[in-house]
C-alpha cells in the first residue's frame, strides 16, 4: 500500500481547511442573513455558535480524521465498536419510522427508511460516514451551479454587459442568464473541470498548492473591495446598517439560523474536515489549527459584508433583497461606480476563488472514499465522480426557477417522495443543508463524545498539543503554563474537559433543537 500523502506543513493544512470553510456561504450568504437578522446582534450570536458548537465539532472531525488516517467511511469503521447498542437502536427506530410511513401511504419514504434502517442495523456507525460521502455528491452538484454563474459573470462584466441602472433590470438579466442552458450548464461544467484538475494532482501538489495561491488572492481581493466600498460617499450608512446591533430582530429563529449557518460555513457535518484531518501528521497541533480555521472563516464572513453593504447604501439601493443580493443588486451597484465593470469582475472573481477552494474539498471527500475503500486510483476517481457530479448538476441548473424543464424528474419525485420544493435546485439544497449536514454533525459529536469516547480522542489531540489537556485553563489563559506552581498534576478545568462537555451535551442538544426546528417538527 502506498503511504498516505500528508500536508507539507501546518500552514498548508490551515489554508486548505480554511479554503474549504470559506466559500459562497461566507461571501454570498452571511452578509444577507446578517442584514436580515439584526446586524451586529446577529454577528454576536453567530460568534457564540461558532465558539460553543462549531469549533468543538470541527475538532471532533479533525481528530477522528487524523487518528484514523482515513476518509469518513473508513474513519467511522476504524474506531467503531464491533457492535453498538445505540446504533442498533437508531436502526430499529428508522425501520419503525419507515413502517409508519408505509401505513400512512408514503411508500417512497417508507421503503427508503426501511432500507436505511436495515443498513444502519447492519453497518452501524459506518453509515454516518457514508452519509457524509453522499452529501459530497449532493452539495457539490448545486454548489457548482452557483459557482458556474460567477464564471459567466466575470466574463460578462469584462465584456461590459453588466450595465444596469436598476435592480429589476439586473434581476431580469440574471433570470435570462441563469436559465440559458449554454451559460448555466457550460459554466457549471467549467467549474467542475477546475475542481477535477486540482483534485487529480493530489493533496500536496493539488489542494495545498492551490490553497496557498488562492487564499492570499481571496484576502487581497476582499481588502481591495472593502477599501473601495468604504471610500464611497455615504458608505457609513451601510456599515451602520450592517453592524449596529438590533436586538429586537433577534428571536429563537435567528439563533437557529445562526447555528445552521455556522455548520454550513465551517464545512461541518459531512466529513470534509475528517478527510482533510486525515492528511495531517502526528506532530501538528490540531487544536491550534482548528482555532485558526474558525477565526479565518468568521473574519472573512464579517469582512464580506463590509465589502458589500457600504457600496449598496452609498447609491441608495435596498439591502434586504436576500439571496439576490450578489447577482441582482451588486451588478447594479457596481455600474454606478467609475470603472464599474472592473469592480464587478473583481467581486465575481472573489466569489469564484472562494467557491473553488470549497468545491475541491467536496470532491476530495468523494475521491478519498473511493481511493481508500474501493482501491480506485486518484486520477480515475476524481475524473469519474467529477463527471457524475456534473451530470447531477445539470437538472439543478435547468430547474433554477422552477421544475418546468425537468418534468421527467419532477413527476416521479412527487409521486414517490411527495417533494414540495420549488425546484430541483431547492430540493438538493434543502436535502443537504437542512437534513444531511445537521444530522451528520449530530452523529459525529455523539460518536466522538459517547462511542469512541473523549478519553481516546484527547489522547489523539495531545500529540502536538500538550496545553490542550495537561494545563489548567486558568494557568493557560494567564500565561503561566510553564510555571510549576500552577501546574499541579490534578487538573479539573482544562480545554479538554470543557471540550468534552461541549461535544457530549451542548452540541448534540443544540443541533437537535435546530434540526427539529428547520424541518418544521418544532415550532418556536
Ligand atoms: N463551507 C462552504 C461555504 O461556506 O460555502 C460550503 C461547504 C464546503 C460545505 C464543503 C460543506 C463542505 F464539506
Amino acid at each position: 500500500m502506498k503511504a498516505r500523502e500528508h500536508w507539507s506543513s501546518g500552514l498548508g493544512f490551515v489554508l486548505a481547511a480554511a479554503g474549504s470553510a470559506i466559500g459562497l456561504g461566507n461571501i454570498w450568504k452571511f452578509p444577507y442573513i446578517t442584514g436580515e437578522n439584526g446586524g451586529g446582534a446577529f454577528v454576536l450570536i453567530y460568534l457564540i455558535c461558532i465558539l460553543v458548537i462549531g469549533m468543538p465539532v470541527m475538532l471532533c472531525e479533525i481528530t477522528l480524521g487524523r487518528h484514523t488516517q482515513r476518509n469518513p467511511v473508513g474513519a467511522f469503521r476504524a474506531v467503531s465498536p464491533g457492535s453498538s447498542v445505540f446504533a442498533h437502536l437508531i436502526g430499529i427506530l428508522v425501520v419503525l419510522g419507515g413502517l409508519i410511513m408505509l401505513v400512512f401511504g408514503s411508500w417512497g419514504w417508507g421503503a427508503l427508511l426501511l432500507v436505511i434502517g436495515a443498513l444502519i442495523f447492519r453497518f452501524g456507525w459506518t453509515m454516518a460516514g457514508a452519509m457524509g460521502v453522499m452529501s459530497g455528491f449532493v452539495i457539490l452538484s448545486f454548489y457548482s451551479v452557483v459557482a458556474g454563474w460567477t464564471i459567466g459573470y466575470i466574463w460578462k462584466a469584462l465584456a461590459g454587459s453588466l450595465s444596469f441602472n436598476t435592480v429589476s433590470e439586473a434581476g431580469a438579466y440574471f433570470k435570462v442568464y441563469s436559465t440559458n442552458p449554454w451559460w448555466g450548464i457550460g459554466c457549471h461544467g467549467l467549474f467542475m473541470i477546475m475542481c477535477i484538475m486540482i483534485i487529480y494532482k493530489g493533496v500536496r501538489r493539488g489542494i495545498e498548492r492551490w490553497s496557498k495561491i488562492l487564499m492570499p488572492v481571496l484576502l487581497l481581493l476582499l481588502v481591495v473591495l472593502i477599501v473601495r466600498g468604504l471610500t464611497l460617499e455615504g458608505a457609513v450608512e451601510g456599515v451602520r446598517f450592517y453592524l449596529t446591533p438590533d436586538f429586537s430582530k433577534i428571536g429563537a429563529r435567528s439563533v437557529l439560523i445562526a447555528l445552521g449557518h455556522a455548520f454550513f460555513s465551517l464545512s461541518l457535518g459531512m466529513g470534509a474536515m475528517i478527510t482533510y484531518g486525515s492528511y495531517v501528521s502526528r506532530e501538528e497541533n490540531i487544536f491550534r489549527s482548528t482555532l485558526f480555521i474558525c477565526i479565518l472563516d468568521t473574519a472573512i464572513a464579517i469582512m464580506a459584508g463590509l465589502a458589500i453593504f457600504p457600496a449598496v447604501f452609498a447609491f441608495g439601493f435596498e439591502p434586504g433583497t436576500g439571496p439576490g443580493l450578489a447577482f441582482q443588486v451588486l451588478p447594479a451597484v457596481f455600474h454606478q461606480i467609475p470603472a464599474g465593470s472592473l469592480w464587478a469582475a473583481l467581486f465575481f472573481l472573489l466569489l469564484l476563488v472562494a467557491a473553488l477552494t470549497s468545491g475541491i474539498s467536496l470532491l476530495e471527500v468523494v475521491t478519498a472514499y473511493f481511493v481508500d475503500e474501493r482501491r480506485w486510483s486518484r486520477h480515475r476517481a476524481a475524473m469519474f465522480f467529477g463527471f457524475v457530479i456534473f451530470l447531477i448538476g445539470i437538472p439543478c441548473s435547468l430547474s433554477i426557477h422552477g421544475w418546468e424543464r425537468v418534468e421527467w424528474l419532477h413527476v416521479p419525485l412527487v409521486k414517490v417522495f411527495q417533494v414540495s420544493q420549488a425546484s430541483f435546485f431547492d430540493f438538493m439544497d434543502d436535502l443537504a443543508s437542512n437534513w444531511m449536514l445537521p444530522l451528520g454533525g449530530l452523529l459525529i459529536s455523539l460518536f466522538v463524545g459517547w462511542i469512541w469516547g473523549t478519553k481516546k480522542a484527547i489522547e489523539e489531540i495531545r500529540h502536538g498539543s500538550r496545553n490542550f489537556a495537561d494545563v489548567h485553563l486558568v494557568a493557560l489563559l494567564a500565561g503561566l503554563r510553564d510555571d510549576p506552581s500552577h501546574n499541579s498534576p490534578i487538573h479539573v478545568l482544562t480545554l479538554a474537559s470543557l471540550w468534552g462537555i461541549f461535544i457530549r451535551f451542548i452540541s448534540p442538544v443544540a443541533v437537535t433543537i435546530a434540526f427539529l426546528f428547520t424541518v418544521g417538527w418544532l415550532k418556536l
Side-chain angles (χ1 to χ4, degrees):
M1 220 175 104
K2 265 200 341 204
R4 197 174 188 75
E5 231 190 318
H6 283 139
W7 309 109
S8 69
S9 64
L11 179 72
F13 166 56
V14 169
L15 287 181
S20 165
I22 298 167
L24 296 171
N26 302 58
I27 295 172
W28 164 68
K29 194 166 178 195
F30 182 80
Y32 84 76
I33 53 176
T34 303
E36 284 172 351
N37 287 283
F42 182 80
V43 174
L44 206 68
I45 291 177
Y46 181 73
L47 288 179
I48 297 174
C49 290
I50 295 276
L51 202 69
V52 175
I53 297 162
M55 248 179 66
V57 174
M58 183 180 286
L59 189 54
C60 285
E61 288 205 19
I62 296 177
T63 308
L64 190 58
R66 185 175 74 171
H67 181 76
T68 56
Q69 300 280 302
R70 287 275 183 294
N71 66 94
V73 173
F76 274 98
R77 183 183 302 132
V79 290
S80 286
S83 128
S84 156
V85 178
F86 194 23
H88 283 155
L89 202 69
I90 299 179
I92 293 172
L93 284 177
V94 174
V95 167
L96 279 180
L99 289 175
I100 294 174
M101 292 283 216
L102 282 182
V103 172
F104 283 100
S106 227
W107 55 271
W109 284 115
L112 187 66
L113 289 185
L114 284 185
V115 174
I116 295 177
L119 286 173
I120 296 176
F121 197 84
R122 166 74 181 77
F123 295 106
W125 285 95
T126 309
M127 288 304 289
M131 188 170 74
V133 177
M134 303 272 285
S135 311
F137 281 95
V138 176
I139 300 179
L140 191 50
S141 68
F142 70 83
Y143 202 81
S144 160
V145 170
V146 180
W149 296 341
T150 67
I151 302 180
Y153 262 50
I154 297 173
W155 177 264
K156 298 264 180 193
L158 291 175
S161 342
L162 299 184
S163 47
F164 317 110
N165 291 313
T166 62
V167 173
S168 57
E169 239 176 73
Y173 183 86
F174 175 67
K175 189 152 187 188
V176 173
Y177 165 82
S178 56
T179 42
N180 178 325
W182 291 113
W183 281 108
I185 298 172
C187 291
H188 152 60
L190 216 57
F191 181 78
M192 282 312 303
I193 291 175
M194 292 180 186
C195 291
I196 293 171
M197 279 174 22
I198 295 177
I199 293 305
Y200 186 94
K201 288 276 187 190
V203 174
R204 271 195 201 186
R205 291 198 308 137
I207 305 174
E208 182 174 345
R209 178 153 158 239
W210 281 96
S211 303
K212 281 183 170 163
I213 298 172
L214 292 173
M215 296 312 285
V217 170
L218 179 131
L219 194 66
L220 185 74
L221 284 171
L222 193 56
V223 170
V224 168
L225 283 161
I226 291 177
V227 171
R228 172 68 281 198
L230 287 178
T231 48
L232 291 166
E233 208 170 312
V236 191
E237 216 24 65
V239 181
R240 203 168 289 146
F241 165 81
Y242 180 45
L243 292 179
T244 305
D246 178 357
F247 283 95
S248 70
K249 283 203 192 141
I250 295 284
R253 231 188 105 72
S254 336
V255 177
L256 297 175
I257 291 178
L259 183 59
H261 187 66
F263 257 78
F264 185 80
S265 187
L266 291 175
S267 303
L268 297 176
M270 57 153 289
M273 292 298 164
I274 298 183
T275 310
Y276 274 19
S278 75
Y279 304 126
V280 177
S281 74
R282 270 286 158 83
E283 290 72 48
E284 292 304 329
N285 181 336
I286 51 179
F287 171 69
R288 197 176 51 197
S289 305
T290 305
L291 196 66
F292 283 154
I293 298 163
C294 292
I295 291 175
L296 278 172
D297 185 65
T298 312
I300 297 281
I302 295 176
M303 284 165 75
L306 287 179
I308 294 175
F309 287 115
V312 172
F313 273 82
F315 297 103
F317 285 100
E318 268 301 308
T321 22
L325 188 64
F327 292 95
Q328 297 173 26
V329 180
L330 286 182
V333 171
F334 287 127
H335 184 54
Q336 311 292 321
I337 305 180
S341 306
L342 176 72
W343 295 110
L346 286 182
F347 176 76
F348 288 109
L349 183 63
L350 170 74
L351 267 184
L352 174 63
V353 169
L356 187 57
T357 48
S358 299
I360 55 178
S361 71
L362 289 159
L363 185 58
E364 178 61 22
V365 172
V366 176
T367 305
Y369 167 71
F370 282 91
V371 171
D372 289 351
E373 306 296 312
R374 308 261 152 209
R375 300 273 173 267
W376 283 46
S377 78
R378 167 171 285 275
H379 293 172
R380 192 165 130 213
M383 289 200 293
F384 184 78
F385 292 103
F387 185 65
V388 170
I389 293 170
F390 168 69
L391 293 182
I392 310 175
I394 291 177
C396 289
S397 170
L398 287 175
S399 82
I400 294 298
H401 303 285
W403 289 95
E404 296 79 33
R405 291 194 290 173
V406 286
E407 277 307 331
W408 53 271
L409 189 64
H410 190 204
V411 174
L413 278 177
V414 170
K415 273 220 178 84
V416 181
F417 297 116
Q418 296 88 39
V419 298
S420 57
Q421 286 85 354
S423 65
F424 185 60
F425 182 94
D426 289 351
F427 170 72
M428 296 294 262
D429 182 9
D430 188 33
L431 183 67
S433 312
N434 297 336
W435 293 82
M436 296 171 97
L437 292 189
L439 269 180
L442 176 65
L443 293 174
I444 285 168
S445 57
L446 283 177
F447 181 77
V448 173
W450 295 93
I451 308 293
W452 186 34
T454 34
K455 220 166 124 191
K456 290 197 187 115
I458 285 168
E459 273 317 310
E460 177 61 41
I461 301 171
R462 262 206 182 95
H463 293 281
S465 170
R466 263 197 56 249
N467 291 344
F468 186 72
D470 299 330
V471 183
H472 197 289
L473 187 58
V474 178
L476 189 65
L477 290 177
L480 293 170
R481 67 177 170 209
D482 296 322
D483 184 323
S485 63
H486 289 84
N487 273 325
S488 81
I490 305 154
H491 293 132
V492 184
L493 183 66
T494 55
L495 280 168
S497 56
L498 263 186
W499 175 71
I501 295 173
F502 281 162
I503 61 160
R504 279 160 75 90
F505 302 102
I506 300 179
S507 312
V509 172
V511 176
T512 306
I513 294 175
F515 171 68
L516 294 178
F517 171 81
T518 20
V519 301
W521 295 344
L522 178 75
K523 301 262 181 286
L524 291 169

